[in-house]
Amino acid sequence: MSTTTATFSGVVPPVVTPLSPAGEVDRGSLERLVHRQLAAGVDGLFVLGSSGETVFLTDAQRDVAIDVVVGATAGAVPVVAGAIEPTTPRVMERVRACERLGADAVVVTAPFYAIVGPHEIRRHLTAVAAGTHLPVLAYDIPVCVGRKLSNDLLLSLAQDGLLAGVKDSSGDDVAFRQLLLALEDAGVQGFSALTGHEVVVDGMLLAGADGAVPGLGNVDPDGYVRLHRACAEGDWATARKEQERLVRLFRIVDAADPATTAGATRGVGAFKTALHLLGVIDSPTVSLPMRAYDDDEIARVRMQLDLAGLTVHA
Amino acid sequence: MSTTTATFSGVVPPVVTPLSPAGEVDRGSLERLVHRQLAAGVDGLFVLGSSGETVFLTDAQRDVAIDVVVGATAGAVPVVAGAIEPTTPRVMERVRACERLGADAVVVTAPFYAIVGPHEIRRHLTAVAAGTHLPVLAYDIPVCVGRKLSNDLLLSLAQDGLLAGVKDSSGDDVAFRQLLLALEDAGVQGFSALTGHEVVVDGMLLAGADGAVPGLGNVDPDGYVRLHRACAEGDWATARKEQERLVRLFRIVDAADPATTAGATRGVGAFKTALHLLGVIDSPTVSLPMRAYDDDEIARVRMQLDLAGLTVHA
Amino acid sequence: MSTTTATFSGVVPPVVTPLSPAGEVDRGSLERLVHRQLAAGVDGLFVLGSSGETVFLTDAQRDVAIDVVVGATAGAVPVVAGAIEPTTPRVMERVRACERLGADAVVVTAPFYAIVGPHEIRRHLTAVAAGTHLPVLAYDIPVCVGRKLSNDLLLSLAQDGLLAGVKDSSGDDVAFRQLLLALEDAGVQGFSALTGHEVVVDGMLLAGADGAVPGLGNVDPDGYVRLHRACAEGDWATARKEQERLVRLFRIVDAADPATTAGATRGVGAFKTALHLLGVIDSPTVSLPMRAYDDDEIARVRMQLDLAGLTVHA
Amino acid sequence: MSTTTATFSGVVPPVVTPLSPAGEVDRGSLERLVHRQLAAGVDGLFVLGSSGETVFLTDAQRDVAIDVVVGATAGAVPVVAGAIEPTTPRVMERVRACERLGADAVVVTAPFYAIVGPHEIRRHLTAVAAGTHLPVLAYDIPVCVGRKLSNDLLLSLAQDGLLAGVKDSSGDDVAFRQLLLALEDAGVQGFSALTGHEVVVDGMLLAGADGAVPGLGNVDPDGYVRLHRACAEGDWATARKEQERLVRLFRIVDAADPATTAGATRGVGAFKTALHLLGVIDSPTVSLPMRAYDDDEIARVRMQLDLAGLTVHA
């Protein structure tokens, strides 16, 4: 566990955005989802991340999602909001919306679609940070944007006070470990290094991460809160045991037929299907071009929920 | 040259979107750019492609760009418009704008940022085509979206009448050549196979492409019209000579310092710098996180314009 | 067609290495293959390229292959031989074998497996060229080695007299076109720019390539000789027609079940299956981990041979 | 820590292959290196891995390296040897050498250079395992071979008794964690899951890995033995502290100028430079196309050794 006093730390699940069958943001379901998170004791919420279908939603839908999460959270924990668009001018439009709607921080990726190099990425993050009073967290997700944020970049932006943290979804724990020590050696204070990988939270907290942003936390926030607490107490045997239960639960992302589905459908689709089975959200609807799960796929999700000891709504 | 009767064919430049120094779409410059294209005899115009900074512009800016190009073209040639967003719901928002603003067709890529496979890509293009009365052209640009459109997919969507054509910016001329014959063998009529690579237009037209979408056509539309005419007349020696002049002119994309710029800045930045030097647009301003060219870089663009025989505005 | 006097030009098929069912190099079949190539009028032969299973063969097998091809060619045309290994010391071992066995030139890729950058690639090619009296051709095949040879590198090595040519299997015809003009503008003489893509030979010769290294030329050398001749005579209509027949014939690489085979098996396997059907080689045996074609797959190869007008051995 | 009884476990450093300035394997230095490893208490040695310049060495050099390591180890710990070649027939040649020279197991990657898919990879590993009495460890190193070994493949080969373990250098700790539990759930016994990432050994052992193959262990085997011991005793605080010292020491791989060196040079080059400074090996010579470190680079390596508390040879 980190010894620094990061602003954003602990368990910060990236909440899904429940949709009605007609494709509208389902306010009631989203409120229930938030209340369940808060009841579990999470330390923050991340709205409009990849799990939140951020790039599938129109701006109007996004605004509703932020509004509902901020409202339902009611200041209990910080709400960080994705401002995920390909380029600076478009990100800034979303940053303005996040400011207006009361988010506590914004989360920004490297540019995507646009072909950029390290200089453009630095200019992008710098311009966004300079353009808002909100804290900015970098979102390192090369599988989506095609490029990794270098440790050199993250460190220098952290030192310059332009970044409040990073959500690391790079899958590159080697680089993340090196970043953690580089931040410490540079004496950077208050920077939040959060792992986005729900299956290695114990190891990353052991390594000094400030917290986790687990997509699977949508489904089992209690498990992640227990996991985090065990780590905080240095009870690594308990932490590992809880983590292993969650690693197995994470197999819900293998429920969809791999011959006809890919990443987005398998992740968000599984989380929503599980939340629907658990009675938290009214519909498992996902945005196009993803598709709904069929009966066999739903049955496989249900089986994993059972194995993990989660009570499935009849 | 193709023997089919494609709806969109010949020279269809992807026009840049001129911006004022303050970052607003410069209507007057865009009108001048369009009029220059029409005077050169182009066969169509593509607004809001990659060269048009489509992912850098806000929706409001995009609407202005379409409005100006449609208005300035005044029906003289077809106007195809990019509806380039990561997922289906967001693309459909832009398709509605294209419909409302009078575009003659929409151009759509595979999903990006979202992690998708072949089934999601097919569902995406199918849903877009089903959701509009406008012809849909697929935009195959793996360097931006991270995945190539397969020939199997393109062929079957063409056969089903869901796609009106493809703009191939894949750099994979081998696959493009195979697609051309597969379309012919399947008896597909009216499908527009357009190459997006400005430096191999002669070879692609020899291979049977219906036309080209040359970013460099922003700078030298007359050259591309001459090149296309020579190919249409089977005068391949003349075509090659004109193409070679244009290949050399394309070296303007190497004008920016490679140590501090990447693809987007080098392409769009060069086109805008050249158009500014040529007196067509009032400012070479590009969107963040791209940057303006410095004096040395501008001088290198100017030199290539001189070598290509283009008159530079004093 | 190029106007320079390149040493290696025209049609230079990369011959397969026929194997007995027990996996030994089949000297008799390889000799027949070479004689058929020479009878067709090819301008050179490339032994131990990717089509020649170069990375599947032991050094002993490779030596036999070179020995047979050099012997059967008997000086009628130049024989270029692959020296394809991951790093410089290993390449040099193969270069020594090529020298000893009488090859007329060696073909060398960028390093692979080893993680290298531009400086290491330059050092590699420079060291190889400095270490042999044989002409060195660079083999640009990013799909196999994971990195593309830059035009800057190729041009400077050509200017320094270290490279005699390049076999471009990059699929990046845009870069290849730019290279052709860069070589011309730099006044480089005697450099052989050969395309490795059998389906765009007409376009690449129109663009100024010196020749082609068509894997499919194993199967139909007469077709490629006719294609080259038409291009040389400026009869582009005839060239295109011949090329299109060959593009269709190239569909043999789609004969193997895509669910259970990948690139190598689909390419080399198809060529060998076709040559076996044509009676040129005694067995279609391929090296592990590739597999033999089943009856359905063989039937699909046979069908394409029929459609292309090639007489299939009963 | 794993509760299974894996054959290969604990600290198994991948030893470098010391070379004389003339490029010959330096037997004396390699023996000293091995003796130092054994004195530190390592649990095994890996000869001819990536750190051992396996793809840079000729077969004759490789044979010497195995011979020396096996001889100097004298049965004290198991010696696993790389049989790293692009395809099955070539791997089998190396497997025969490993058998002949007395290695205790062979380490094999997915095919490389050759374009293969999952079926060919499975056929490859299966054929190798079937062709030797030695235990086979899979080496998952996508950064070198361009493809990752899937958990499905590893699990099924483990269940079939064809694989004795895996060295995971994929950087994908998420997949590795899932593999660990999948093996446990499938009841696989005696399979060695080893991490190849020297900076996350604590976290991976917490997750249940059987051991580590740390390249940095060449330089500081005592540190890795202490780290492993702390993990085995469940003293995670001590483990983390030792790991953090080693993460900082790993900064020697940043000593070489990034503008003129890439991965191989930065890794192997740093290890050899450090070992030379420590007086373990007589020369830091690396194979072409890597290059020697200059004075500034050597000074940076020396500084990190000092900071890590390692005594540098005057």
Side-chain angles (χ1 to χ4, degrees):
Chain A
M1 307 287 291
S2 173
T3 55
T4 63
T5 52
T7 311
F8 306 97
S9 63
V11 179
V12 187
V15 291
V16 301
T17 308
L19 299 174
S20 73
E24 292 307 301
V25 176
D26 177 350
R27 287 174 169 269
S29 291
L30 184 49
E31 284 168 1
R32 278 199 301 281
L33 180 64
V34 168
H35 291 147
R36 182 168 175 258
Q37 294 287 325
L38 296 177
V42 302
D43 304 290
L45 289 170
F46 176 22
V47 60
L48 297 180
S50 302
S51 295
E53 289 173 77
T54 191
V55 296
F56 293 84
L57 304 178
T58 64
D59 286 344
Q61 291 175 307
R62 290 167 171 179
D63 288 356
V64 172
I66 300 173
D67 187 54
V68 172
V69 172
V70 168
T73 302
V77 297
V79 173
V80 302
I84 296 175
E85 285 283 339
T87 58
T88 320
R90 292 187 64 86
V91 167
M92 287 313 300
E93 270 210 332
R94 294 308 309 157
V95 168
R96 293 289 165 261
C98 294
E99 293 170 343
R100 191 176 64 240
L101 294 161
D104 298 301
V106 293
V107 183
V108 178
T109 68
F112 51 95
Y113 190 95
I115 304 170
V116 296
H119 286 78
E120 283 94 354
I121 298 176
R122 177 181 293 269
R123 197 176 294 122
H124 177 67
L125 292 174
T126 301
V128 172
T132 179
H133 64 87
L134 289 179
V136 176
L137 293 118
Y139 191 175
D140 191 19
I141 186 159
V143 73
C144 290
V145 305
R147 41 191 73 93
K148 182 158 182 4
L149 299 175
S150 73
N151 279 354
D152 281 353
L153 174 66
L154 291 171
L155 181 63
S156 83
L157 293 177
Q159 287 179 295
D160 293 348
L162 294 170
L163 281 186
V166 66
K167 181 199 166 188
D168 178 68
S169 294
S170 72
D172 186 346
D173 293 339
V174 169
F176 188 60
R177 182 65 171 271
Q178 291 170 320
L179 176 66
L180 292 171
L181 283 196
L183 288 163
E184 182 180 321
D185 292 353
V188 174
Q189 295 293 321
F191 185 89
S192 301
L194 309 173
T195 179
H197 293 292
E198 50 265 274
V199 305
V200 292
V201 173
D202 53 353
M204 293 304 101
L205 291 178
L206 174 63
D210 297 291
V213 185
L216 187 62
N218 277 285
V219 179
D220 192 359
D222 300 283
Y224 280 97
V225 169
R226 284 193 299 269
L227 167 57
H228 180 253
R229 191 172 304 138
C231 294
E233 294 167 354
D235 183 358
W236 297 104
T238 298
R240 176 180 165 181
K241 202 170 157 190
E242 185 67 42
Q243 178 70 79
E244 291 190 345
R245 192 183 60 80
L246 291 164
V247 174
R248 289 186 174 94
L249 176 58
F250 193 62
R251 292 173 185 164
I252 58 173
V253 306
D254 294 326
D257 181 357
T260 60
T261 55
T265 308
R266 298 167 71 74
V268 176
F271 298 157
K272 285 193 158 181
T273 298
L275 286 167
H276 184 235
L277 287 169
L278 291 169
V280 179
I281 66 176
D282 287 343
S283 166
T285 301
V286 289
S287 307
L288 277 172
M290 298 189 283
R291 68 157 170 80
Y293 280 29
D294 65 24
D295 287 346
D296 286 348
E297 294 167 334
I298 293 169
R300 283 194 285 269
V301 172
R302 182 190 294 266
M303 185 186 70
Q304 295 297 345
L305 293 172
D306 286 345
L307 290 172
L310 297 183
T311 307
V312 170
H313 187 70
Chain B
M1 308 286 290
S2 171
T3 54
T4 63
T5 52
T7 310
F8 305 97
S9 63
V11 178
V12 187
V15 289
V16 302
T17 308
L19 299 173
S20 72
E24 293 306 301
V25 176
D26 176 351
R27 289 174 169 269
S29 290
L30 183 50
E31 284 169 0
R32 278 199 300 281
L33 179 64
V34 169
H35 291 148
R36 181 169 175 258
Q37 294 287 326
L38 297 176
V42 300
D43 303 290
L45 290 169
F46 176 22
V47 60
L48 298 180
S50 303
S51 295
E53 289 173 79
T54 190
V55 296
F56 293 85
L57 303 179
T58 64
D59 286 345
Q61 290 175 308
R62 291 166 170 179
D63 288 354
V64 172
I66 300 173
D67 187 54
V68 171
V69 172
V70 168
T73 302
V77 297
V79 173
V80 302
I84 296 174
E85 284 283 337
T87 59
T88 320
R90 292 187 63 87
V91 166
M92 286 313 301
E93 270 211 332
R94 295 308 309 158
V95 168
R96 294 289 166 262
C98 293
E99 292 169 343
R100 191 175 63 242
L101 294 161
D104 297 301
V106 293
V107 183
V108 178
T109 68
F112 51 95
Y113 189 94
I115 304 171
V116 297
H119 286 78
E120 283 93 354
I121 299 175
R122 178 182 293 269
R123 196 175 295 121
H124 177 67
L125 291 174
T126 301
V128 172
T132 179
H133 64 86
L134 289 179
V136 176
L137 293 116
Y139 190 174
D140 192 17
I141 186 158
V143 73
C144 289
V145 304
R147 41 192 72 94
K148 182 159 183 4
L149 299 175
S150 73
N151 280 353
D152 281 354
L153 174 65
L154 291 171
L155 181 62
S156 82
L157 293 176
Q159 287 179 297
D160 293 348
L162 293 169
L163 280 186
V166 65
K167 182 201 167 187
D168 178 69
S169 295
S170 71
D172 186 348
D173 294 338
V174 169
F176 188 61
R177 182 62 171 272
Q178 290 172 322
L179 176 66
L180 292 171
L181 283 195
L183 289 163
E184 182 179 322
D185 291 353
V188 174
Q189 296 293 321
F191 185 89
S192 301
L194 309 172
T195 180
H197 294 293
E198 51 265 273
V199 305
V200 292
V201 172
D202 53 353
M204 293 303 102
L205 290 178
L206 174 63
D210 296 292
V213 185
L216 187 63
N218 277 285
V219 180
D220 192 359
D222 300 283
Y224 279 97
V225 170
R226 284 193 298 269
L227 167 57
H228 179 254
R229 191 172 302 139
C231 295
E233 293 168 354
D235 182 358
W236 298 103
T238 298
R240 176 180 165 181
K241 200 171 160 190
E242 185 67 44
Q243 177 71 80
E244 293 189 344
R245 191 183 60 81
L246 291 164
V247 175
R248 289 185 173 95
L249 176 58
F250 193 62
R251 292 174 185 164
I252 58 173
V253 305
D254 293 327
D257 181 355
T260 60
T261 56
T265 308
R266 298 167 71 73
V268 176
F271 298 157
K272 283 192 159 180
T273 299
L275 286 167
H276 183 235
L277 287 169
L278 292 169
V280 179
I281 66 176
D282 286 345
S283 167
T285 301
V286 289
S287 307
L288 278 172
M290 298 187 285
R291 68 157 172 78
Y293 280 30
D294 65 24
D295 287 347
D296 286 348
E297 295 168 333
I298 293 169
R300 284 194 286 268
V301 173
R302 182 190 293 265
M303 184 187 69
Q304 295 297 345
L305 293 172
D306 287 346
L307 291 172
L310 297 183
T311 307
V312 171
H313 188 71
Chain C
M1 308 284 292
S2 173
T3 54
T4 63
T5 52
T7 310
F8 305 97
S9 62
V11 179
V12 186
V15 290
V16 302
T17 308
L19 300 173
S20 72
E24 292 307 300
V25 177
D26 176 350
R27 289 173 168 270
S29 291
L30 183 49
E31 285 170 358
R32 278 198 301 280
L33 179 63
V34 169
H35 291 148
R36 183 169 174 257
Q37 295 286 324
L38 297 177
V42 302
D43 304 289
L45 289 169
F46 175 23
V47 60
L48 297 180
S50 303
S51 295
E53 289 174 76
T54 191
V55 295
F56 294 84
L57 304 179
T58 63
D59 286 345
Q61 290 175 307
R62 290 167 170 179
D63 287 356
V64 172
I66 300 173
D67 187 54
V68 171
V69 172
V70 168
T73 301
V77 297
V79 173
V80 302
I84 296 174
E85 285 284 338
T87 58
T88 320
R90 292 187 64 87
V91 166
M92 286 313 300
E93 269 210 334
R94 294 309 309 159
V95 168
R96 294 289 166 261
C98 294
E99 293 170 342
R100 191 176 64 241
L101 294 161
D104 297 301
V106 293
V107 182
V108 179
T109 69
F112 51 96
Y113 190 94
I115 304 171
V116 296
H119 286 79
E120 284 93 354
I121 299 175
R122 177 181 293 268
R123 196 176 295 121
H124 177 68
L125 292 174
T126 301
V128 171
T132 179
H133 65 86
L134 289 179
V136 176
L137 293 117
Y139 190 174
D140 191 18
I141 187 159
V143 74
C144 289
V145 305
R147 40 191 73 94
K148 180 153 184 12
L149 300 175
S150 72
N151 279 354
D152 280 355
L153 174 66
L154 291 171
L155 182 62
S156 83
L157 293 177
Q159 287 179 297
D160 293 347
L162 294 169
L163 281 187
V166 64
K167 182 201 167 187
D168 178 69
S169 295
S170 71
D172 186 347
D173 293 339
V174 169
F176 188 60
R177 182 64 170 272
Q178 291 172 321
L179 176 66
L180 292 170
L181 283 196
L183 288 163
E184 183 179 322
D185 291 353
V188 174
Q189 296 293 320
F191 185 88
S192 301
L194 308 173
T195 180
H197 293 294
E198 50 265 275
V199 305
V200 292
V201 173
D202 52 353
M204 293 304 102
L205 291 178
L206 174 63
D210 296 292
V213 185
L216 186 63
N218 277 284
V219 180
D220 192 359
D222 300 283
Y224 280 97
V225 169
R226 283 193 299 269
L227 167 57
H228 180 254
R229 191 172 303 138
C231 295
E233 294 168 352
D235 182 358
W236 298 103
T238 297
R240 176 179 164 182
K241 200 170 159 189
E242 185 67 42
Q243 177 70 80
E244 292 189 345
R245 192 183 61 80
L246 292 164
V247 174
R248 289 185 172 95
L249 176 59
F250 193 62
R251 292 174 184 163
I252 59 173
V253 306
D254 294 325
D257 182 356
T260 59
T261 55
T265 309
R266 299 167 72 72
V268 175
F271 299 157
K272 283 192 160 182
T273 299
L275 286 167
H276 183 236
L277 287 169
L278 291 169
V280 180
I281 66 177
D282 286 345
S283 166
T285 300
V286 288
S287 307
L288 278 170
M290 298 187 283
R291 68 158 171 78
Y293 281 29
D294 64 25
D295 287 348
D296 286 347
E297 294 168 333
I298 293 169
R300 283 194 285 270
V301 172
R302 182 190 294 266
M303 184 187 70
Q304 295 297 345
L305 293 173
D306 287 346
L307 290 172
L310 297 183
T311 307
V312 171
H313 188 69
Chain D
M1 307 286 291
S2 172
T3 56
T4 63
T5 53
T7 310
F8 305 97
S9 63
V11 179
V12 187
V15 291
V16 302
T17 308
L19 300 174
S20 72
E24 292 307 300
V25 177
D26 175 350
R27 289 174 169 269
S29 291
L30 183 50
E31 284 169 0
R32 278 199 301 279
L33 179 63
V34 168
H35 291 147
R36 181 168 175 258
Q37 295 287 325
L38 297 176
V42 302
D43 303 289
L45 290 169
F46 175 22
V47 59
L48 297 181
S50 303
S51 295
E53 289 173 77
T54 191
V55 295
F56 294 84
L57 304 179
T58 63
D59 286 344
Q61 290 175 308
R62 291 166 170 179
D63 288 355
V64 172
I66 300 173
D67 187 54
V68 171
V69 172
V70 168
T73 302
V77 297
V79 173
V80 302
I84 296 174
E85 284 283 338
T87 58
T88 321
R90 292 187 64 87
V91 166
M92 287 313 301
E93 270 210 333
R94 294 308 308 158
V95 168
R96 293 289 165 262
C98 294
E99 292 170 344
R100 191 175 65 241
L101 294 162
D104 297 301
V106 293
V107 183
V108 178
T109 68
F112 50 95
Y113 189 94
I115 303 170
V116 296
H119 286 78
E120 283 93 353
I121 299 175
R122 178 181 293 270
R123 197 176 294 122
H124 178 67
L125 291 173
T126 302
V128 171
T132 180
H133 64 87
L134 289 179
V136 176
L137 293 116
Y139 190 175
D140 192 17
I141 187 158
V143 73
C144 288
V145 305
R147 41 191 72 94
K148 182 160 183 4
L149 300 176
S150 72
N151 279 355
D152 281 354
L153 174 66
L154 291 171
L155 181 62
S156 83
L157 293 177
Q159 288 179 296
D160 293 347
L162 294 170
L163 280 186
V166 65
K167 182 202 167 187
D168 178 68
S169 295
S170 71
D172 186 347
D173 293 338
V174 169
F176 188 60
R177 182 64 171 271
Q178 292 171 321
L179 176 66
L180 292 171
L181 283 196
L183 288 163
E184 182 180 322
D185 292 353
V188 174
Q189 296 292 321
F191 185 89
S192 301
L194 309 173
T195 180
H197 293 293
E198 50 266 273
V199 304
V200 291
V201 172
D202 52 354
M204 293 303 102
L205 290 178
L206 174 63
D210 296 292
V213 185
L216 187 63
N218 277 285
V219 179
D220 192 359
D222 299 283
Y224 279 98
V225 169
R226 284 193 300 268
L227 166 58
H228 180 253
R229 192 172 302 138
C231 294
E233 294 168 354
D235 182 358
W236 298 104
T238 298
R240 177 180 165 180
K241 200 170 159 190
E242 184 68 43
Q243 177 71 79
E244 292 190 344
R245 192 184 59 80
L246 292 164
V247 175
R248 289 185 173 95
L249 176 58
F250 193 62
R251 292 174 185 163
I252 58 173
V253 305
D254 294 325
D257 181 355
T260 59
T261 55
T265 308
R266 298 168 70 74
V268 176
F271 298 156
K272 285 192 158 180
T273 298
L275 286 166
H276 183 236
L277 288 169
L278 291 168
V280 180
I281 66 176
D282 288 344
S283 166
T285 301
V286 289
S287 308
L288 278 172
M290 297 188 285
R291 68 159 171 78
Y293 281 28
D294 65 26
D295 288 347
D296 287 347
E297 294 168 332
I298 293 169
R300 284 193 286 269
V301 173
R302 181 190 293 265
M303 184 187 69
Q304 296 297 344
L305 293 172
D306 286 346
L307 291 172
L310 297 183
T311 307
V312 171
H313 188 71

